[in-house]
Amino acid sequence: MGKLHGKIAVITGGSSGIGLATAKAFVDEGAYVFIAGRRQEELAKAAAEIGREVTTVRADVAELPDLDRLWDVVREKKGAVDVIVANAGFVEFALPADVTPEHFERTFNTNARGTFFTVQKGLPLLRDGGSIVLIGSSGHVLGVPIYTTYLATKAAIRSFTRSWAADLKDRKIRVNSLSPGPVDTPIFEAQAGSKQAADTLRAAMADRVPLGRLGRSEEIATTAVFLASDDSSFITGHDLLADGGQTAI
């Protein structure tokens, strides 16, 4: 029997990268998953890759009506949820002098506001004793050039984790954040704009990791399974850093 046998999970940003790997790992551990993402074509590919026990919902977490639709689908199909993984995120680097209001708003609306309302709107369906996993970044405890706005949103997620752990303790709902270091996902291409530039960025990021490499989405997914399951039953309010030692050494 899997660690998440019979559980129902919602994973935002679930059509690629860490979100998709987490959805696969959850299903392998016995869960039924709802994955949300902005692109229908990518969601269809993800569902085919997962293969079973999955429902897809096209939703942009920055849009509150989309979040309402996501939770309406969950309510209609399953009636309740045991695990929320708020993973959807947006990253675009910029020097402080180059940050525009549009860049700032898009970053905060997706990463901070989107995370907040994903959880707020899901709480009525989250069973007592459930688990919330917020995907942050190890960079929130570092000073990383050109990622000021992105990492500020991840610091907000760390704060949500502590506050919600206190808010929800009477319901025995555990809230933890999972903060990866640099992980090899398609987000590098999205940031860099070309394969060559993305590979250069990958190499630069890997140089900063004591283990000498980027993380793999599957490694973050197994950590998410730990936080979602009873294996972490005495852990709440915690920020688990999965960063190859980047913030410790």
Side-chain angles (χ1 to χ4, degrees):
M1 186 178 296
K3 294 180 179 181
L4 298 173
H5 178 74
K7 302 294 186 182
I8 300 161
V10 171
I11 303 170
T12 61
S15 60
S16 66
I18 291 170
L20 176 56
T22 299
K24 290 178 182 176
F26 277 29
V27 170
D28 286 345
E29 291 291 346
Y32 188 98
V33 298
F34 291 84
I35 58 171
R38 292 185 296 112
R39 295 178 292 275
Q40 188 61 51
E41 183 178 351
E42 293 301 311
L43 285 168
K45 290 178 183 177
E49 199 168 330
I50 296 167
R52 66 192 194 284
E53 300 299 306
V54 59
T55 293
T56 65
V57 182
R58 194 201 63 76
D60 181 344
V61 300
E63 301 294 333
L64 299 191
D66 283 10
L67 289 176
D68 289 334
R69 185 172 66 253
L70 166 63
W71 289 111
D72 283 346
V73 171
V74 176
R75 181 182 294 105
E76 291 166 8
K77 193 171 183 70
K78 291 293 185 180
V81 66
D82 301 286
V83 182
I84 299 172
V85 180
N87 167 72
F90 169 75
V91 56
E92 179 182 68
F93 54 74
L95 289 166
D98 297 329
V99 171
T100 63
E102 291 77 18
H103 161 86
F104 188 96
E105 289 168 8
R106 184 177 180 186
T107 304
F108 271 82
N109 283 349
T110 298
N111 298 353
R113 183 174 179 265
T115 294
F116 185 93
F117 285 105
T118 293
V119 173
Q120 184 209 59
K121 290 176 179 292
L123 282 176
L125 292 180
L126 184 62
R127 291 188 177 104
D128 289 358
S131 176
I132 298 171
V133 182
L134 310 180
I135 304 301
S137 167
S138 65
H140 78 85
V141 298
L142 301 169
V144 183
I146 73 175
Y147 287 99
T148 302
T149 50
Y150 172 73
L151 294 179
T153 64
K154 297 303 183 177
I157 285 172
R158 177 66 185 108
S159 182
F160 293 161
T161 300
R162 287 192 176 101
S163 296
W164 285 337
D167 287 332
L168 299 171
K169 60 181 173 54
D170 290 341
R171 291 182 58 191
K172 310 303 180 187
I173 292 171
R174 297 181 300 105
V175 187
N176 293 288
S177 51
L178 169 53
S179 290
V183 176
D184 193 359
T185 72
I187 205 166
F188 279 99
E189 276 74 20
Q191 292 179 75
S194 72
K195 184 181 186 306
Q196 183 177 0
D199 287 343
T200 299
L201 183 58
R202 283 185 172 95
M205 291 287 191
D207 282 344
R208 299 178 182 178
V209 179
L211 289 182
R213 65 174 176 84
L214 300 178
R216 298 187 301 273
S217 294
E218 293 77 13
E219 292 174 304
I220 308 306
T222 57
T223 310
V225 169
F226 168 73
L227 290 175
S229 73
D230 288 342
D231 283 355
S232 59
S233 58
F234 201 51
I235 300 175
T236 193
H238 182 67
D239 181 40
L240 199 163
L241 290 153
D243 63 356
Q246 190 176 37
T247 57
I249 300 173

PDB file of all heavy atoms in Angstrom, residues 10-46:
ATOM      1  N   VAL A  10      -4.486  18.054  -4.800  1.00  0.00           N
ATOM      2  CA  VAL A  10      -4.541  19.098  -5.824  1.00  0.00           C
ATOM      3  C   VAL A  10      -3.146  19.690  -5.961  1.00  0.00           C
ATOM      4  O   VAL A  10      -2.530  20.076  -4.959  1.00  0.00           O
ATOM      5  CB  VAL A  10      -5.558  20.196  -5.448  1.00  0.00           C
ATOM      6  CG1 VAL A  10      -5.448  21.383  -6.401  1.00  0.00           C
ATOM      7  CG2 VAL A  10      -6.972  19.637  -5.475  1.00  0.00           C
ATOM      8  N   ILE A  11      -2.659  19.740  -7.191  1.00  0.00           N
ATOM      9  CA  ILE A  11      -1.317  20.247  -7.461  1.00  0.00           C
ATOM     10  C   ILE A  11      -1.428  21.328  -8.527  1.00  0.00           C
ATOM     11  O   ILE A  11      -1.815  21.052  -9.668  1.00  0.00           O
ATOM     12  CB  ILE A  11      -0.377  19.122  -7.947  1.00  0.00           C
ATOM     13  CG1 ILE A  11      -0.310  17.987  -6.929  1.00  0.00           C
ATOM     14  CG2 ILE A  11       1.016  19.683  -8.244  1.00  0.00           C
ATOM     15  CD1 ILE A  11       0.388  16.743  -7.440  1.00  0.00           C
ATOM     16  N   THR A  12      -1.094  22.555  -8.174  1.00  0.00           N
ATOM     17  CA  THR A  12      -1.086  23.616  -9.178  1.00  0.00           C
ATOM     18  C   THR A  12       0.275  23.626  -9.884  1.00  0.00           C
ATOM     19  O   THR A  12       1.278  23.181  -9.349  1.00  0.00           O
ATOM     20  CB  THR A  12      -1.360  24.996  -8.559  1.00  0.00           C
ATOM     21  OG1 THR A  12      -0.334  25.316  -7.600  1.00  0.00           O
ATOM     22  CG2 THR A  12      -2.724  25.024  -7.884  1.00  0.00           C
ATOM     23  N   GLY A  13       0.270  24.131 -11.114  1.00  0.00           N
ATOM     24  CA  GLY A  13       1.488  24.060 -11.904  1.00  0.00           C
ATOM     25  C   GLY A  13       1.890  22.620 -12.137  1.00  0.00           C
ATOM     26  O   GLY A  13       3.072  22.277 -12.150  1.00  0.00           O
ATOM     27  N   GLY A  14       0.913  21.759 -12.365  1.00  0.00           N
ATOM     28  CA  GLY A  14       1.153  20.329 -12.401  1.00  0.00           C
ATOM     29  C   GLY A  14       1.414  19.737 -13.774  1.00  0.00           C
ATOM     30  O   GLY A  14       1.494  18.520 -13.906  1.00  0.00           O
ATOM     31  N   SER A  15       1.563  20.586 -14.798  1.00  0.00           N
ATOM     32  CA  SER A  15       1.701  20.048 -16.150  1.00  0.00           C
ATOM     33  C   SER A  15       3.147  19.889 -16.603  1.00  0.00           C
ATOM     34  O   SER A  15       3.390  19.355 -17.691  1.00  0.00           O
ATOM     35  CB  SER A  15       0.945  20.939 -17.152  1.00  0.00           C
ATOM     36  OG  SER A  15       1.459  22.262 -17.128  1.00  0.00           O
ATOM     37  N   SER A  16       4.119  20.332 -15.805  1.00  0.00           N
ATOM     38  CA  SER A  16       5.521  20.189 -16.200  1.00  0.00           C
ATOM     39  C   SER A  16       6.413  20.300 -14.973  1.00  0.00           C
ATOM     40  O   SER A  16       5.957  20.662 -13.882  1.00  0.00           O
ATOM     41  CB  SER A  16       5.922  21.265 -17.224  1.00  0.00           C
ATOM     42  OG  SER A  16       5.877  22.554 -16.640  1.00  0.00           O
ATOM     43  N   GLY A  17       7.682  19.974 -15.157  1.00  0.00           N
ATOM     44  CA  GLY A  17       8.684  20.190 -14.127  1.00  0.00           C
ATOM     45  C   GLY A  17       8.375  19.517 -12.808  1.00  0.00           C
ATOM     46  O   GLY A  17       7.947  18.358 -12.745  1.00  0.00           O
ATOM     47  N   ILE A  18       8.591  20.262 -11.723  1.00  0.00           N
ATOM     48  CA  ILE A  18       8.391  19.729 -10.374  1.00  0.00           C
ATOM     49  C   ILE A  18       6.940  19.316 -10.148  1.00  0.00           C
ATOM     50  O   ILE A  18       6.664  18.285  -9.530  1.00  0.00           O
ATOM     51  CB  ILE A  18       8.832  20.766  -9.324  1.00  0.00           C
ATOM     52  CG1 ILE A  18      10.358  20.928  -9.359  1.00  0.00           C
ATOM     53  CG2 ILE A  18       8.363  20.382  -7.929  1.00  0.00           C
ATOM     54  CD1 ILE A  18      10.876  22.096  -8.536  1.00  0.00           C
ATOM     55  N   GLY A  19       5.997  20.093 -10.650  1.00  0.00           N
ATOM     56  CA  GLY A  19       4.585  19.772 -10.452  1.00  0.00           C
ATOM     57  C   GLY A  19       4.196  18.452 -11.092  1.00  0.00           C
ATOM     58  O   GLY A  19       3.494  17.638 -10.483  1.00  0.00           O
ATOM     59  N   LEU A  20       4.650  18.219 -12.316  1.00  0.00           N
ATOM     60  CA  LEU A  20       4.338  16.968 -13.002  1.00  0.00           C
ATOM     61  C   LEU A  20       5.013  15.785 -12.309  1.00  0.00           C
ATOM     62  O   LEU A  20       4.391  14.740 -12.104  1.00  0.00           O
ATOM     63  CB  LEU A  20       4.780  17.049 -14.463  1.00  0.00           C
ATOM     64  CG  LEU A  20       4.613  15.782 -15.301  1.00  0.00           C
ATOM     65  CD1 LEU A  20       3.176  15.281 -15.290  1.00  0.00           C
ATOM     66  CD2 LEU A  20       5.079  16.032 -16.737  1.00  0.00           C
ATOM     67  N   ALA A  21       6.273  15.950 -11.941  1.00  0.00           N
ATOM     68  CA  ALA A  21       6.967  14.870 -11.228  1.00  0.00           C
ATOM     69  C   ALA A  21       6.273  14.551  -9.918  1.00  0.00           C
ATOM     70  O   ALA A  21       6.171  13.377  -9.518  1.00  0.00           O
ATOM     71  CB  ALA A  21       8.420  15.265 -10.979  1.00  0.00           C
ATOM     72  N   THR A  22       5.771  15.577  -9.236  1.00  0.00           N
ATOM     73  CA  THR A  22       5.057  15.364  -7.972  1.00  0.00           C
ATOM     74  C   THR A  22       3.744  14.632  -8.205  1.00  0.00           C
ATOM     75  O   THR A  22       3.390  13.715  -7.448  1.00  0.00           O
ATOM     76  CB  THR A  22       4.815  16.713  -7.269  1.00  0.00           C
ATOM     77  OG1 THR A  22       6.080  17.329  -6.990  1.00  0.00           O
ATOM     78  CG2 THR A  22       4.044  16.528  -5.978  1.00  0.00           C
ATOM     79  N   ALA A  23       3.026  15.009  -9.253  1.00  0.00           N
ATOM     80  CA  ALA A  23       1.777  14.321  -9.573  1.00  0.00           C
ATOM     81  C   ALA A  23       2.029  12.837  -9.843  1.00  0.00           C
ATOM     82  O   ALA A  23       1.289  11.961  -9.361  1.00  0.00           O
ATOM     83  CB  ALA A  23       1.114  14.979 -10.772  1.00  0.00           C
ATOM     84  N   LYS A  24       3.070  12.531 -10.609  1.00  0.00           N
ATOM     85  CA  LYS A  24       3.408  11.132 -10.891  1.00  0.00           C
ATOM     86  C   LYS A  24       3.730  10.378  -9.605  1.00  0.00           C
ATOM     87  O   LYS A  24       3.264   9.251  -9.380  1.00  0.00           O
ATOM     88  CB  LYS A  24       4.611  11.059 -11.832  1.00  0.00           C
ATOM     89  CG  LYS A  24       4.357  11.501 -13.253  1.00  0.00           C
ATOM     90  CD  LYS A  24       5.680  11.398 -14.029  1.00  0.00           C
ATOM     91  CE  LYS A  24       5.548  11.867 -15.436  1.00  0.00           C
ATOM     92  NZ  LYS A  24       6.860  11.845 -16.152  1.00  0.00           N
ATOM     93  N   ALA A  25       4.540  10.999  -8.764  1.00  0.00           N
ATOM     94  CA  ALA A  25       4.935  10.345  -7.511  1.00  0.00           C
ATOM     95  C   ALA A  25       3.728  10.113  -6.609  1.00  0.00           C
ATOM     96  O   ALA A  25       3.609   9.052  -5.966  1.00  0.00           O
ATOM     97  CB  ALA A  25       5.988  11.182  -6.790  1.00  0.00           C
ATOM     98  N   PHE A  26       2.827  11.079  -6.546  1.00  0.00           N
ATOM     99  CA  PHE A  26       1.631  10.929  -5.717  1.00  0.00           C
ATOM    100  C   PHE A  26       0.769   9.767  -6.209  1.00  0.00           C
ATOM    101  O   PHE A  26       0.275   8.958  -5.410  1.00  0.00           O
ATOM    102  CB  PHE A  26       0.816  12.221  -5.721  1.00  0.00           C
ATOM    103  CG  PHE A  26       1.282  13.265  -4.737  1.00  0.00           C
ATOM    104  CD1 PHE A  26       2.607  13.345  -4.341  1.00  0.00           C
ATOM    105  CD2 PHE A  26       0.399  14.190  -4.217  1.00  0.00           C
ATOM    106  CE1 PHE A  26       3.033  14.306  -3.446  1.00  0.00           C
ATOM    107  CE2 PHE A  26       0.808  15.156  -3.308  1.00  0.00           C
ATOM    108  CZ  PHE A  26       2.129  15.221  -2.919  1.00  0.00           C
ATOM    109  N   VAL A  27       0.557   9.691  -7.521  1.00  0.00           N
ATOM    110  CA  VAL A  27      -0.252   8.602  -8.076  1.00  0.00           C
ATOM    111  C   VAL A  27       0.421   7.256  -7.805  1.00  0.00           C
ATOM    112  O   VAL A  27      -0.236   6.279  -7.432  1.00  0.00           O
ATOM    113  CB  VAL A  27      -0.498   8.821  -9.573  1.00  0.00           C
ATOM    114  CG1 VAL A  27      -1.122   7.574 -10.218  1.00  0.00           C
ATOM    115  CG2 VAL A  27      -1.420  10.024  -9.785  1.00  0.00           C
ATOM    116  N   ASP A  28       1.726   7.207  -7.969  1.00  0.00           N
ATOM    117  CA  ASP A  28       2.458   5.971  -7.680  1.00  0.00           C
ATOM    118  C   ASP A  28       2.300   5.546  -6.221  1.00  0.00           C
ATOM    119  O   ASP A  28       2.366   4.346  -5.908  1.00  0.00           O
ATOM    120  CB  ASP A  28       3.945   6.139  -7.997  1.00  0.00           C
ATOM    121  CG  ASP A  28       4.237   6.156  -9.486  1.00  0.00           C
ATOM    122  OD1 ASP A  28       3.349   5.754 -10.272  1.00  0.00           O
ATOM    123  OD2 ASP A  28       5.342   6.584  -9.876  1.00  0.00           O
ATOM    124  N   GLU A  29       2.080   6.535  -5.342  1.00  0.00           N
ATOM    125  CA  GLU A  29       1.906   6.234  -3.915  1.00  0.00           C
ATOM    126  C   GLU A  29       0.441   6.057  -3.529  1.00  0.00           C
ATOM    127  O   GLU A  29       0.112   5.991  -2.355  1.00  0.00           O
ATOM    128  CB  GLU A  29       2.530   7.337  -3.065  1.00  0.00           C
ATOM    129  CG  GLU A  29       4.052   7.389  -3.125  1.00  0.00           C
ATOM    130  CD  GLU A  29       4.723   6.209  -2.446  1.00  0.00           C
ATOM    131  OE1 GLU A  29       4.042   5.473  -1.698  1.00  0.00           O
ATOM    132  OE2 GLU A  29       5.934   6.018  -2.674  1.00  0.00           O
ATOM    133  N   GLY A  30      -0.453   5.991  -4.534  1.00  0.00           N
ATOM    134  CA  GLY A  30      -1.838   5.643  -4.264  1.00  0.00           C
ATOM    135  C   GLY A  30      -2.830   6.783  -4.248  1.00  0.00           C
ATOM    136  O   GLY A  30      -4.008   6.576  -3.935  1.00  0.00           O
ATOM    137  N   ALA A  31      -2.410   7.998  -4.593  1.00  0.00           N
ATOM    138  CA  ALA A  31      -3.307   9.152  -4.548  1.00  0.00           C
ATOM    139  C   ALA A  31      -4.055   9.338  -5.869  1.00  0.00           C
ATOM    140  O   ALA A  31      -3.621   8.864  -6.927  1.00  0.00           O
ATOM    141  CB  ALA A  31      -2.519  10.421  -4.232  1.00  0.00           C
ATOM    142  N   TYR A  32      -5.160  10.043  -5.782  1.00  0.00           N
ATOM    143  CA  TYR A  32      -5.836  10.590  -6.956  1.00  0.00           C
ATOM    144  C   TYR A  32      -5.444  12.058  -7.029  1.00  0.00           C
ATOM    145  O   TYR A  32      -5.499  12.768  -6.019  1.00  0.00           O
ATOM    146  CB  TYR A  32      -7.353  10.469  -6.842  1.00  0.00           C
ATOM    147  CG  TYR A  32      -8.069  10.843  -8.121  1.00  0.00           C
ATOM    148  CD1 TYR A  32      -8.483   9.855  -9.004  1.00  0.00           C
ATOM    149  CD2 TYR A  32      -8.289  12.163  -8.465  1.00  0.00           C
ATOM    150  CE1 TYR A  32      -9.117  10.184 -10.200  1.00  0.00           C
ATOM    151  CE2 TYR A  32      -8.906  12.508  -9.654  1.00  0.00           C
ATOM    152  CZ  TYR A  32      -9.323  11.518 -10.520  1.00  0.00           C
ATOM    153  OH  TYR A  32      -9.930  11.849 -11.707  1.00  0.00           O
ATOM    154  N   VAL A  33      -5.047  12.549  -8.218  1.00  0.00           N
ATOM    155  CA  VAL A  33      -4.558  13.921  -8.306  1.00  0.00           C
ATOM    156  C   VAL A  33      -5.385  14.764  -9.278  1.00  0.00           C
ATOM    157  O   VAL A  33      -5.831  14.281 -10.321  1.00  0.00           O
ATOM    158  CB  VAL A  33      -3.068  13.981  -8.718  1.00  0.00           C
ATOM    159  CG1 VAL A  33      -2.191  13.291  -7.684  1.00  0.00           C
ATOM    160  CG2 VAL A  33      -2.828  13.388 -10.101  1.00  0.00           C
ATOM    161  N   PHE A  34      -5.571  15.998  -8.892  1.00  0.00           N
ATOM    162  CA  PHE A  34      -6.048  17.050  -9.787  1.00  0.00           C
ATOM    163  C   PHE A  34      -4.838  17.923 -10.100  1.00  0.00           C
ATOM    164  O   PHE A  34      -4.179  18.418  -9.177  1.00  0.00           O
ATOM    165  CB  PHE A  34      -7.124  17.901  -9.116  1.00  0.00           C
ATOM    166  CG  PHE A  34      -8.419  17.188  -8.874  1.00  0.00           C
ATOM    167  CD1 PHE A  34      -8.588  16.391  -7.743  1.00  0.00           C
ATOM    168  CD2 PHE A  34      -9.476  17.311  -9.761  1.00  0.00           C
ATOM    169  CE1 PHE A  34      -9.780  15.730  -7.504  1.00  0.00           C
ATOM    170  CE2 PHE A  34     -10.686  16.658  -9.532  1.00  0.00           C
ATOM    171  CZ  PHE A  34     -10.830  15.861  -8.398  1.00  0.00           C
ATOM    172  N   ILE A  35      -4.540  18.099 -11.379  1.00  0.00           N
ATOM    173  CA  ILE A  35      -3.444  18.994 -11.734  1.00  0.00           C
ATOM    174  C   ILE A  35      -3.997  20.197 -12.481  1.00  0.00           C
ATOM    175  O   ILE A  35      -4.837  20.072 -13.359  1.00  0.00           O
ATOM    176  CB  ILE A  35      -2.347  18.293 -12.556  1.00  0.00           C
ATOM    177  CG1 ILE A  35      -2.897  17.694 -13.857  1.00  0.00           C
ATOM    178  CG2 ILE A  35      -1.663  17.212 -11.728  1.00  0.00           C
ATOM    179  CD1 ILE A  35      -1.807  17.180 -14.785  1.00  0.00           C
ATOM    180  N   ALA A  36      -3.522  21.363 -12.093  1.00  0.00           N
ATOM    181  CA  ALA A  36      -3.957  22.614 -12.712  1.00  0.00           C
ATOM    182  C   ALA A  36      -2.785  23.243 -13.441  1.00  0.00           C
ATOM    183  O   ALA A  36      -1.642  23.195 -12.982  1.00  0.00           O
ATOM    184  CB  ALA A  36      -4.491  23.578 -11.654  1.00  0.00           C
ATOM    185  N   GLY A  37      -3.068  23.848 -14.584  1.00  0.00           N
ATOM    186  CA  GLY A  37      -2.051  24.547 -15.354  1.00  0.00           C
ATOM    187  C   GLY A  37      -2.710  25.494 -16.337  1.00  0.00           C
ATOM    188  O   GLY A  37      -3.919  25.406 -16.590  1.00  0.00           O
ATOM    189  N   ARG A  38      -1.900  26.376 -16.915  1.00  0.00           N
ATOM    190  CA  ARG A  38      -2.469  27.411 -17.791  1.00  0.00           C
ATOM    191  C   ARG A  38      -2.685  26.944 -19.228  1.00  0.00           C
ATOM    192  O   ARG A  38      -3.507  27.505 -19.942  1.00  0.00           O
ATOM    193  CB  ARG A  38      -1.553  28.638 -17.794  1.00  0.00           C
ATOM    194  CG  ARG A  38      -1.511  29.382 -16.474  1.00  0.00           C
ATOM    195  CD  ARG A  38      -0.695  30.666 -16.556  1.00  0.00           C
ATOM    196  NE  ARG A  38       0.713  30.385 -16.842  1.00  0.00           N
ATOM    197  CZ  ARG A  38       1.329  30.690 -17.970  1.00  0.00           C
ATOM    198  NH1 ARG A  38       0.662  31.271 -18.952  1.00  0.00           N
ATOM    199  NH2 ARG A  38       2.617  30.416 -18.145  1.00  0.00           N
ATOM    200  N   ARG A  39      -1.941  25.915 -19.665  1.00  0.00           N
ATOM    201  CA  ARG A  39      -1.976  25.518 -21.079  1.00  0.00           C
ATOM    202  C   ARG A  39      -2.637  24.146 -21.227  1.00  0.00           C
ATOM    203  O   ARG A  39      -2.128  23.147 -20.712  1.00  0.00           O
ATOM    204  CB  ARG A  39      -0.560  25.497 -21.652  1.00  0.00           C
ATOM    205  CG  ARG A  39       0.074  26.884 -21.692  1.00  0.00           C
ATOM    206  CD  ARG A  39       1.501  26.828 -22.212  1.00  0.00           C
ATOM    207  NE  ARG A  39       2.385  26.144 -21.275  1.00  0.00           N
ATOM    208  CZ  ARG A  39       2.968  26.748 -20.243  1.00  0.00           C
ATOM    209  NH1 ARG A  39       2.764  28.034 -20.004  1.00  0.00           N
ATOM    210  NH2 ARG A  39       3.763  26.067 -19.434  1.00  0.00           N
ATOM    211  N   GLN A  40      -3.752  24.125 -21.959  1.00  0.00           N
ATOM    212  CA  GLN A  40      -4.523  22.900 -22.112  1.00  0.00           C
ATOM    213  C   GLN A  40      -3.720  21.810 -22.797  1.00  0.00           C
ATOM    214  O   GLN A  40      -3.800  20.628 -22.428  1.00  0.00           O
ATOM    215  CB  GLN A  40      -5.802  23.180 -22.905  1.00  0.00           C
ATOM    216  CG  GLN A  40      -6.759  22.013 -22.951  1.00  0.00           C
ATOM    217  CD  GLN A  40      -7.236  21.592 -21.568  1.00  0.00           C
ATOM    218  OE1 GLN A  40      -7.691  22.419 -20.778  1.00  0.00           O
ATOM    219  NE2 GLN A  40      -7.150  20.301 -21.255  1.00  0.00           N
ATOM    220  N   GLU A  41      -2.931  22.167 -23.802  1.00  0.00           N
ATOM    221  CA  GLU A  41      -2.137  21.170 -24.519  1.00  0.00           C
ATOM    222  C   GLU A  41      -1.140  20.493 -23.592  1.00  0.00           C
ATOM    223  O   GLU A  41      -0.963  19.265 -23.631  1.00  0.00           O
ATOM    224  CB  GLU A  41      -1.402  21.820 -25.690  1.00  0.00           C
ATOM    225  CG  GLU A  41      -0.617  20.836 -26.535  1.00  0.00           C
ATOM    226  CD  GLU A  41       0.059  21.488 -27.725  1.00  0.00           C
ATOM    227  OE1 GLU A  41      -0.208  22.688 -27.996  1.00  0.00           O
ATOM    228  OE2 GLU A  41       0.866  20.810 -28.390  1.00  0.00           O
ATOM    229  N   GLU A  42      -0.488  21.269 -22.744  1.00  0.00           N
ATOM    230  CA  GLU A  42       0.472  20.699 -21.796  1.00  0.00           C
ATOM    231  C   GLU A  42      -0.230  19.831 -20.753  1.00  0.00           C
ATOM    232  O   GLU A  42       0.296  18.799 -20.326  1.00  0.00           O
ATOM    233  CB  GLU A  42       1.261  21.814 -21.111  1.00  0.00           C
ATOM    234  CG  GLU A  42       2.181  22.585 -22.041  1.00  0.00           C
ATOM    235  CD  GLU A  42       3.208  21.685 -22.702  1.00  0.00           C
ATOM    236  OE1 GLU A  42       3.861  20.908 -21.978  1.00  0.00           O
ATOM    237  OE2 GLU A  42       3.343  21.742 -23.932  1.00  0.00           O
ATOM    238  N   LEU A  43      -1.416  20.236 -20.341  1.00  0.00           N
ATOM    239  CA  LEU A  43      -2.180  19.430 -19.393  1.00  0.00           C
ATOM    240  C   LEU A  43      -2.546  18.075 -19.991  1.00  0.00           C
ATOM    241  O   LEU A  43      -2.470  17.047 -19.316  1.00  0.00           O
ATOM    242  CB  LEU A  43      -3.453  20.168 -18.975  1.00  0.00           C
ATOM    243  CG  LEU A  43      -3.288  21.328 -18.000  1.00  0.00           C
ATOM    244  CD1 LEU A  43      -4.579  22.130 -17.915  1.00  0.00           C
ATOM    245  CD2 LEU A  43      -2.892  20.833 -16.610  1.00  0.00           C
ATOM    246  N   ALA A  44      -2.939  18.081 -21.259  1.00  0.00           N
ATOM    247  CA  ALA A  44      -3.295  16.827 -21.919  1.00  0.00           C
ATOM    248  C   ALA A  44      -2.088  15.896 -21.998  1.00  0.00           C
ATOM    249  O   ALA A  44      -2.197  14.679 -21.764  1.00  0.00           O
ATOM    250  CB  ALA A  44      -3.847  17.106 -23.312  1.00  0.00           C
ATOM    251  N   LYS A  45      -0.926  16.449 -22.320  1.00  0.00           N
ATOM    252  CA  LYS A  45       0.298  15.646 -22.368  1.00  0.00           C
ATOM    253  C   LYS A  45       0.630  15.087 -20.983  1.00  0.00           C
ATOM    254  O   LYS A  45       1.022  13.924 -20.845  1.00  0.00           O
ATOM    255  CB  LYS A  45       1.468  16.492 -22.876  1.00  0.00           C
ATOM    256  CG  LYS A  45       1.394  16.863 -24.345  1.00  0.00           C
ATOM    257  CD  LYS A  45       2.584  17.735 -24.723  1.00  0.00           C
ATOM    258  CE  LYS A  45       2.507  18.180 -26.161  1.00  0.00           C
ATOM    259  NZ  LYS A  45       3.634  19.095 -26.510  1.00  0.00           N
ATOM    260  N   ALA A  46       0.468  15.920 -19.968  1.00  0.00           N
ATOM    261  CA  ALA A  46       0.765  15.480 -18.605  1.00  0.00           C
ATOM    262  C   ALA A  46      -0.167  14.355 -18.180  1.00  0.00           C
ATOM    263  O   ALA A  46       0.266  13.367 -17.573  1.00  0.00           O
ATOM    264  CB  ALA A  46       0.654  16.657 -17.639  1.00  0.00           C
TER     265      ALA A  46
END
